[in-house]
Every structure is written in structure tokens, then in C-alpha cells.
Amino acid sequence: MDECVVSGYCRQMDATRMVLCERCAGTLEADCAYPDCPYTAECQVAAEIRKRQEEN
């Protein structure tokens, strides 16, 4: 299992937050609403999660 912490502005919470991501069975799971958040397209945190998914 691979873990990482991603931080950035969360528009849904209207605050900066740290998101813990875990890779389980090849899928990167985050402790936020990603990928179902309505702001995923413009979210800094979601962009970093997508980048990390593509790296592995």
C-alpha cells in the first residue's frame, strides 16, 4: 500500500486542506469527495491526485 498527502485549496469546504491518499489494489483513494466532487475539474487537490495516478 502506498500513501501520500496532498494539500491545497478545497472549494467545497472553502478552506485549505490536507488530503490523505492511499493506493489499494491499483486504485488511488482519497479522503475527500474526489472524483465525485462538483469542483473536481478546477480543484488543485484533484489535479495533484490525477497526476499521482498517472505516475503509477
Side-chain angles (χ1 to χ4, degrees):
M1 182 173 11
D2 183 24
E3 293 181 348
C4 65
V5 175
V6 177
S7 63
Y9 175 74
C10 174
R11 187 169 170 192
Q12 184 167 338
M13 293 179 62
D14 193 23
T16 301
R17 75 167 291 201
M18 296 175 70
V19 176
L20 176 65
C21 301
E22 288 183 311
R23 183 171 304 281
C24 296
T27 302
L28 195 63
E29 298 178 4
D31 71 343
C32 69
Y34 177 84
D36 299 321
C37 176
Y39 304 107
T40 296
E42 63 263 10
C43 179
Q44 298 171 0
V45 174
E48 184 64 27
I49 292 170
R50 285 190 297 271
K51 177 182 167 188
R52 291 176 186 248
Q53 283 179 321
E54 292 170 1
E55 289 175 353
N56 293 315

